[in-house]
Amino acid sequence: MASCLFGAYITDPGAVNIKRCYTEGNISGVWAGGIVSNPNRATLNDCYSLANVSGTISVGGISAFGVMLCENCYYYGKVENGNPISGGEPSGTYSSVYYCTEQGNDPNSGTFGKTYAELLKKETYEGWDFENVWYIEEDVSLPTLCWETPEPGTIGILALIFVFIISKRK
C-alpha cells in the first residue's frame, strides 16, 4: 500500500494542496474519507482512492466533507453510509472527478458516474494528462499515477545492476 495521506484529519488546511497520491485498504470512522476526512479549504489534484470507506456521519470515497477544489480524481471502492466522492452536503468545486455508478450517485456537480467498463478507457477522463501524470492500460486497468509505473526496461536494468553488485562481492 502506498499513499501520501491515508484517511488524514486536517484541522487547518488553509494551504494544503494534496497532489498525485492514492489510498487503498479499509478506512472507517465517524467522519470518514478515502483520502481525507475534513479537507475544509484543501485542494486535491490528480488523486484516487481504492479504499473501502465506512462510517456514521459524512462518509465519502474521496473526502468526508466537501473540498475547496477537487480535480482530476477518481474513486473506486465500496462506500457504506455515504457517497462515492464526498459524504457531506454538496460543496466546493469538482472538475473531472469520476466514480463507478455501481457505488451510487454523488450529489456534487462536476462528479461523473461511469460504468466499470467506461472507467477502463482513457477517453472517459476528459482533460487528464496521460503523458506525464496518469497511466492506463485500456480495457485492463483503472488509471494509476505515472510515478507508480517504472519506465519500460527499468526493472531489467535494476536487475542487472543488482546481479553486478552481488557478483563483485564474491
Side-chain angles (χ1 to χ4, degrees), residues 54-139:
S54 63
T56 53
I57 301 171
S58 294
V59 179
I62 298 282
S63 66
F65 298 99
V67 296
M68 188 170 84
L69 172 65
C70 181
E71 62 184 357
N72 300 345
C73 297
Y74 80 89
Y75 175 72
Y76 184 82
K78 182 178 179 186
V79 174
E80 290 182 29
N81 199 27
N83 299 319
I85 302 299
S86 176
E89 292 293 318
S91 64
T93 301
Y94 295 83
S95 175
S96 199
V97 177
Y98 300 90
Y99 61 92
C100 187
T101 53
E102 297 162 16
Q103 301 158 330
N105 292 310
D106 195 87
N108 291 287
S109 64
T111 64
F112 304 98
K114 300 290 182 179
T115 65
Y116 181 71
E118 289 174 311
L119 292 175
L120 298 176
K121 301 230 180 258
K122 188 186 293 187
E123 66 193 33
T124 296
Y125 304 92
E126 194 171 313
W128 285 31
D129 182 352
F130 282 97
E131 299 262 334
N132 303 300
V133 178
W134 293 97
Y135 170 81
I136 191 169
E137 190 171 344
E138 296 246 20
D139 299 318

Side-chain angles (χ1 to χ4, degrees), residues 5 7-19 21 31-45 47 57-71 73 85-94 108:
L5 288 176
Y9 184 85
I10 300 170
T11 56
D12 185 16
V16 173
N17 185 8
I18 303 165
K19 295 177 91 171
C21 71
W31 296 293
I35 296 177
V36 291
S37 288
N38 183 9
N40 197 3
R41 298 179 313 236
T43 62
L44 281 76
N45 303 92
C47 299
I57 301 171
S58 294
V59 179
I62 298 282
S63 66
F65 298 99
V67 296
M68 188 170 84
L69 172 65
C70 181
E71 62 184 357
C73 297
I85 302 299
S86 176
E89 292 293 318
S91 64
T93 301
Y94 295 83
N108 291 287

